[in-house]
Amino acid sequence: MNQKRYIKTLVTKAIYRIQSAPKNLASTSSTLHQTATYGSRRASNVARKIHQHASKQAQAASASIKPDTLQSSNPALSFPCLDAVESRSQTLSASLSQQASEKSGPEPSYTTGAHETFHSSEPLLLDWGGILPEFKIAYEAWGTLNATKSNTILLHTGLSASSHAHSTPANPQPGWWEKFIGPGKPLDTDKYFVVCTNVIGGCYGSTGPSSIDPSNGERYATRFPILTMEDMVRAQFRLLDHLSIPRLYASVGASMGGMQSLAAAALFPERVARVVSISGCARSHPYSIAMRHTQRQVLMMDPHWNRGFYYTGVPPHAGMKLAREIATITYRSGPEWEARFGRRRADATRPPALCPDFLIETYLDHAGEKWCLQYDANSLLYVSKAMDLFDLGAEHRARITELRAANAPKLAALLDGKRGAASEADASCTLSLPPKPYEEVTGTESTEVPVTGPSAPPPDLIAGLAPMRDVPTLIMGVASDILFPAWQQREVAETLRAAGNGQVTHIELGEDKSQFGHDTFLLDLENVGGAMGRWLG
């Protein structure tokens, strides 16, 4: 009796395993057969029945992979969007196989063409304690530097832009601000010497995660140190030193470049005569942080990302595509899309689909498709994180100053040739998630900062922007911008005025003038470019 109960228990467990794992039915059935034979002849008979049952389930499981082989109430949907992703993976994998004899994978060479390169052999200490033993900055320039070297405009880029803001004889392809730069243009090259760099952390010629670490001859990948906007600006000023440019006529930038243009004046007020910050901010706010976090999470969940070490394999193109689609939603506006796409479908004569179907979906899909292999995934992670960390408030700046002082000996040790191997236990490289998930705090227990009113600049930010009190500043915003809402530019202007700056010009474009959202700075030559050109003089 006990033996029967034992056999029955084995059989019950076996059936459960079969139902739970249909993909392994054949091996499971074989195991069941052996187990039952070991028990008794009766168990063998039972096992054969189970084997027959398993075969039927295996057939059904196989049929489920090919839904058209069985009668169904409805035909299966097709997924061309997934087919495209899988096809690209196969193509990249095939390319990898062809390059197996080389020490490189199908990761593209990120470049927008010919550019100048500044190589700094002096190490750079970064705000959060990392060190670049040496670094390169890709840059391009337009116009002529005058005899006093006082007509330089440093142009800062957005997150994923290269140094190629305008065409050059060496690279005649149109740049990302082609219509804004040139003789008689807002950045008038008859007057100014315009210099644009690709930021460190990027992938268009400047040192970033895809670059070779001189310490071990391998790509940095996610051994690359955490960056800040200020780190990028310090590297740019190394370039200015190399070019023997003591002081800028103006620091100009939009989006992430708008952050850098402010940071340049906050760090080096004696070297910046003017500031233009378009669609930027003086500190990152929760909404933009949340959107960039979501993009990073989508990218890092792509199995091909491989914790950043994908350079000899298939790059995380699917994660990059989705991250770009999310980003595109924040770059453009609702009003523009309502007029441009509405609720129209790409082909109203065909049945709805789960793949891109509405015009807005096909637009986002195209944006992701054309970009997913044009920018390094790790650069997206590092540069977007630097945007999140941006805060020109006095308290944050004081903390960073303390960190830099504490880490200064590391730089001295490197210069003395005493730097050891990076420690995996280094606190700067470790992170643990909170033991308890976030919970809303209400009532008297709330730790939220009290609202001081819509027109009251935060005292901490006033103190942080105090170094800019004597720097004439143009702040521009766009009402249709959802990524850097217009109130953030108003905050910068009002904070500068509260800090004692009496030379602040604030311009806000309403939806009657621009419905392009955050990307207005790339598209509106008349309102953005015109206002900037007139202000620069």
Side-chain angles (χ1 to χ4, degrees):
M1 190 68 177
N2 290 336
Q3 186 180 20
K4 291 181 179 181
R5 186 179 295 111
Y6 173 69
I7 293 171
K8 184 177 180 181
T9 299
L10 287 176
V11 171
T12 301
K13 290 182 177 179
I15 292 173
Y16 173 78
R17 289 176 181 173
I18 292 171
Q19 294 173 337
S20 301
K23 292 183 179 179
N24 298 318
L25 287 172
S27 61
T28 303
S29 300
S30 176
T31 303
L32 289 172
H33 184 79
Q34 295 173 10
T35 304
T37 301
Y38 178 80
S40 69
R41 183 184 299 275
R42 182 176 179 181
S44 179
N45 292 335
V46 173
R48 279 195 293 272
K49 291 181 181 180
I50 293 173
H51 184 82
Q52 294 169 359
H53 177 68
S55 298
K56 292 179 180 179
Q57 286 210 5
Q59 292 172 7
S62 176
S64 68
I65 300 174
K66 300 177 180 179
D68 292 338
T69 62
L70 295 178
Q71 293 291 336
S72 175
S73 302
N74 303 285
L77 293 174
S78 62
F79 295 93
C81 52
L82 300 185
D83 293 340
V85 171
E86 292 168 0
S87 176
R88 184 162 52 240
S89 289
Q90 292 171 359
T91 300
L92 292 167
S93 182
S95 175
L96 177 63
S97 297
Q98 293 175 1
Q99 300 174 29
S101 60
E102 303 176 10
K103 293 184 178 180
S104 63
E107 186 74 1
S109 175
Y110 302 108
T111 179
T112 52
H115 56 255
E116 300 293 328
T117 301
F118 162 62
H119 181 196
S120 175
S121 57
E122 296 181 17
L124 181 67
L125 176 64
L126 306 179
D127 278 346
W128 287 95
I131 292 178
L132 293 180
E134 59 185 60
F135 65 90
K136 294 180 180 179
I137 288 186
Y139 72 97
E140 295 176 51
W142 306 267
T144 304
L145 186 63
N146 63 17
T148 59
K149 298 185 177 182
S150 60
N151 67 331
T152 302
I153 290 180
L154 178 60
L155 176 59
H156 308 274
T157 72
L159 187 156
S160 59
S162 71
S163 60
H164 193 59
H166 188 271
S167 54
T168 65
N171 184 359
Q173 293 298 316
W176 55 267
W177 238 20
E178 185 74 18
K179 296 180 180 180
F180 289 71
I181 302 171
K185 301 291 180 64
L187 296 186
D188 191 341
T189 51
D190 285 339
K191 299 179 181 178
Y192 311 121
F193 179 61
V194 181
V195 179
C196 182
T197 83
N198 175 227
V199 298
I200 57 169
C203 58
Y204 291 124
S206 295
T207 296
S210 61
S211 302
I212 299 297
D213 182 349
S215 299
N216 61 8
E218 298 177 356
R219 295 190 193 245
Y220 279 105
T222 44
R223 290 181 292 242
F224 198 77
I226 290 293
L227 288 165
T228 66
M229 293 290 109
E230 291 86 342
D231 291 329
M232 297 173 185
V233 169
R234 289 189 185 93
Q236 290 170 332
F237 273 73
R238 287 268 189 97
L239 168 63
L240 296 179
D241 292 341
H242 169 72
L243 298 175
S244 301
I245 297 172
R247 191 165 187 252
L248 293 173
Y249 181 85
S251 174
V252 175
S255 187
M256 185 184 86
M259 296 173 161
Q260 293 177 71
S261 63
L262 292 172
L267 285 174
F268 306 104
E270 73 287 351
R271 297 187 66 178
V272 179
R274 295 166 187 79
V275 165
V276 176
S277 179
I278 306 167
S279 296
C281 63
R283 52 182 179 151
S284 282
H285 293 270
Y287 175 79
S288 61
I289 294 174
M291 295 306 297
R292 288 187 290 267
H293 159 79
T294 305
Q295 294 169 48
R296 288 194 297 271
Q297 288 288 288
V298 164
L299 170 54
M300 295 190 319
M301 294 302 174
D302 185 327
H304 290 305
W305 181 62
N306 194 33
R307 283 172 165 73
F309 292 86
Y310 52 81
Y311 293 109
T312 56
V314 175
H317 59 92
M320 284 291 279
K321 175 183 176 180
L322 294 174
R324 185 63 170 188
E325 291 189 35
I326 295 170
T328 302
I329 294 171
T330 70
Y331 294 157
R332 305 300 274 264
S333 74
E336 179 209 356
W337 285 358
E338 189 66 37
R340 185 175 175 184
F341 305 114
R343 288 185 43 78
R344 293 189 299 279
R345 294 176 57 216
D347 188 348
T349 66
R350 299 179 65 85
L354 296 180
C355 279
D357 180 27
F358 284 92
L359 281 181
I360 182 61
E361 294 176 318
T362 62
Y363 168 76
L364 293 174
D365 183 73
H366 174 68
E369 280 286 327
K370 71 177 184 179
W371 193 76
C372 65
L373 291 174
Q374 292 182 0
Y375 193 74
D376 179 50
N378 284 335
S379 284
L380 176 61
L381 298 176
Y382 276 87
V383 177
S384 70
K385 189 64 179 184
M387 294 178 73
D388 292 353
L389 294 170
F390 186 60
D391 183 357
L392 290 179
E395 182 178 345
H396 178 72
R397 294 308 315 151
R399 181 189 178 194
I400 292 299
T401 299
E402 291 178 3
L403 277 174
R404 292 185 65 83
N407 286 306
K410 294 168 60 177
L411 185 60
L414 178 64
L415 291 171
D416 291 340
K418 299 177 181 179
R419 180 174 180 248
S423 169
E424 294 184 1
D426 190 336
S428 66
C429 301
T430 61
L431 175 70
S432 59
L433 296 177
K436 290 179 61 179
Y438 174 78
E439 296 178 0
E440 288 287 351
V441 180
T442 59
T444 57
E445 297 179 354
S446 175
T447 58
E448 295 293 327
V449 177
V451 177
T452 57
S455 60
D460 177 64
L461 199 58
I462 294 173
L465 292 184
M468 292 182 60
R469 65 169 57 92
D470 297 322
V471 181
T473 305
L474 171 64
I475 304 294
M476 296 187 68
V478 180
S480 58
D481 189 344
I482 62 172
L483 182 59
F484 287 78
W487 68 263
Q488 294 184 8
Q489 290 84 57
R490 288 196 297 271
E491 177 183 71
V492 176
E494 292 164 1
T495 301
L496 285 169
R497 289 167 180 152
N501 190 328
Q503 303 177 79
V504 178
T505 301
H506 174 230
I507 298 174
E508 183 175 316
L509 301 180
E511 291 186 8
D512 59 323
K513 290 189 176 181
S514 180
Q515 294 189 347
F516 294 116
H518 187 64
D519 274 359
T520 295
F521 76 90
L522 291 170
L523 303 169
D524 196 333
L525 178 62
E526 178 183 356
N527 292 306
V528 174
M532 177 178 65
R534 289 188 293 272
W535 187 85
L536 287 171

